[in-house]
Amino acid sequence: MRSAEIGRGLSLAEWQNRDNRARYDRPDHHTLSLYLEGGEGVVREDGAVSGGGPDKLCLLPAGHESRWLIGGRLRMLHLYVAPETLAYQAVSALDVDPRAVSLRELTFAEDPTTAMLMRGAVLPLDWQSGADRMALGSACHLLLHALLRRHAGRGARAVTGGLAPAVRRRIAELIEVRLAEGLSLEVLADEAGLSTFHFAKMFKASFGVPPHRYVTERRIAKAKDLLSKALLAEGRTSLAEIALTCGFASQSHFTRRFAQATGLTPAAWRG
């Protein structure tokens, strides 16, 4: 019925179906589904599970397989999440090692809080309107945090194979204080006492994303914070100044990266 890219690794779709079959064959993304209308006649054939209906949730992690018999008519809202995007949120928002997190598979679950957020904060918005994009992005990130807090299991065993916790914290702090600089892989690897090859590999294991992606995301987060301040909303700081403060090479580079991450240009975000 409609769809939209919300930013890097996040997209939405509202769709309807009737008297049909559907199959998930190891997708490379997580899918959070909310039944909006119908669903009582849906059966998950691979588990012989029924019990769908309005406001029921399904959570289908990346790599899962399932088969569905769709009896009658239904309308659904889907949030699609790239694993790297969820991993970044685990690190940046909750300070959780992404290697210790795995999404639980849910079928026809009841979660009134998440359902209310999807139905009340995401569904009514115009997904293509620039005026609604900031609210839409914020709502989708709240959903990511809800997934991590409510529907992610934490591994009991010690996490191995990445940076030591103390090194991980030190690298994250270094990135935050030096965002305005031209951070290089060599600088970060030296801080960790590793070769660039081994550092890049261990960084991704610890943070869920490659170093360049993490640095860009932190720069975007800082830019959002600056753009949202009342002083900046009055236009007293130029976008070029914000770009330099956040470590982007130029205003045009800042604009491209910001639009890729949020679906809006910095000027539109600031309003």
Side-chain angles (χ1 to χ4, degrees), residues 71-111:
R73 179 182 175 276
L74 58 78
R75 186 167 66 96
M76 304 187 76
L77 175 62
H78 280 187
L79 173 69
Y80 305 109
V81 185
E84 278 195 352
T85 298
L86 191 70
Y88 171 75
Q89 290 299 318
V91 172
S92 62
L94 305 179
D95 194 28
V96 174
D97 191 315
R99 293 168 295 165
V101 173
S102 60
L103 288 182
R104 301 187 185 96
E105 190 172 304
L106 301 175
T107 303
F108 307 137
E110 293 191 12
D111 181 347

Side-chain angles (χ1 to χ4, degrees), residues 155-169:
R157 63 182 177 81
V159 177
T160 60
L163 299 170
V167 176
R168 179 174 169 269
R169 287 193 296 270

Side-chain angles (χ1 to χ4, degrees), residues 8 88 92 174-185 188 211-227 242-250 253-254 257-258 261-262 266:
R8 188 185 294 112
Y88 171 75
S92 62
L174 175 65
I175 290 172
E176 291 300 317
V177 300
R178 298 181 63 175
L179 282 176
E181 304 176 23
L183 276 170
S184 67
L185 188 63
L188 298 177
H212 70 275
R213 166 79 182 272
Y214 182 85
V215 171
T216 298
E217 294 290 355
R218 297 313 303 154
R219 285 174 170 156
I220 294 296
K222 183 176 182 178
K224 286 180 180 178
D225 182 59
L226 294 176
L227 288 166
I242 296 173
L244 292 177
T245 299
C246 296
F248 293 98
S250 64
H253 179 228
F254 171 42
R257 291 288 184 260
F258 194 91
T262 68

Side-chain angles (χ1 to χ4, degrees), residues 1-235:
M1 298 173 68
R2 58 174 173 160
S3 62
E5 297 289 333
I6 307 306
R8 188 185 294 112
L10 274 179
S11 59
L12 289 165
E14 180 184 355
W15 61 276
Q16 61 184 356
N17 208 336
R18 181 174 191 143
D19 298 325
N20 206 342
R21 276 187 160 85
R23 180 186 183 95
Y24 286 82
D25 188 11
R26 302 181 64 82
D28 60 1
H29 57 268
H30 309 304
T31 303
L32 176 64
S33 301
L34 174 69
Y35 285 82
L36 300 172
E37 297 174 9
E40 295 88 349
V42 175
V43 177
R44 180 167 174 173
E45 292 184 296
D46 57 298
V49 180
S50 60
D55 290 334
K56 291 294 183 71
L57 285 173
C58 292
L59 178 56
L60 310 174
H64 95 287
E65 296 181 85
S66 57
R67 302 188 310 277
W68 305 78
L69 174 64
I70 302 170
R73 179 182 175 276
L74 58 78
R75 186 167 66 96
M76 304 187 76
L77 175 62
H78 280 187
L79 173 69
Y80 305 109
V81 185
E84 278 195 352
T85 298
L86 191 70
Y88 171 75
Q89 290 299 318
V91 172
S92 62
L94 305 179
D95 194 28
V96 174
D97 191 315
R99 293 168 295 165
V101 173
S102 60
L103 288 182
R104 301 187 185 96
E105 190 172 304
L106 301 175
T107 303
F108 307 137
E110 293 191 12
D111 181 347
T113 300
T114 301
M116 181 174 63
L117 182 57
M118 295 181 76
R119 188 182 283 275
V122 174
L123 191 65
L125 295 175
D126 183 343
W127 297 353
Q128 305 303 326
S129 169
D132 282 352
R133 293 288 290 194
M134 188 185 302
L136 189 60
S138 296
C140 287
H141 280 90
L142 285 175
L143 283 172
L144 293 186
H145 299 168
L147 287 181
L148 289 167
R149 291 182 184 278
R150 301 168 69 84
H151 302 301
R154 304 287 176 83
R157 63 182 177 81
V159 177
T160 60
L163 299 170
V167 176
R168 179 174 169 269
R169 287 193 296 270
R170 195 166 74 244
I171 292 298
E173 291 168 359
L174 175 65
I175 290 172
E176 291 300 317
V177 300
R178 298 181 63 175
L179 282 176
E181 304 176 23
L183 276 170
S184 67
L185 188 63
E186 288 76 14
V187 168
L188 298 177
D190 285 346
E191 179 66 24
L194 296 167
S195 70
T196 54
F197 174 80
H198 286 97
F199 173 77
K201 183 176 180 179
M202 294 173 76
F203 185 99
K204 185 172 182 180
S206 296
F207 286 84
V209 293
H212 70 275
R213 166 79 182 272
Y214 182 85
V215 171
T216 298
E217 294 290 355
R218 297 313 303 154
R219 285 174 170 156
I220 294 296
K222 183 176 182 178
K224 286 180 180 178
D225 182 59
L226 294 176
L227 288 166
S228 298
K229 293 186 182 299
L231 178 64
L232 299 176
E234 296 173 6

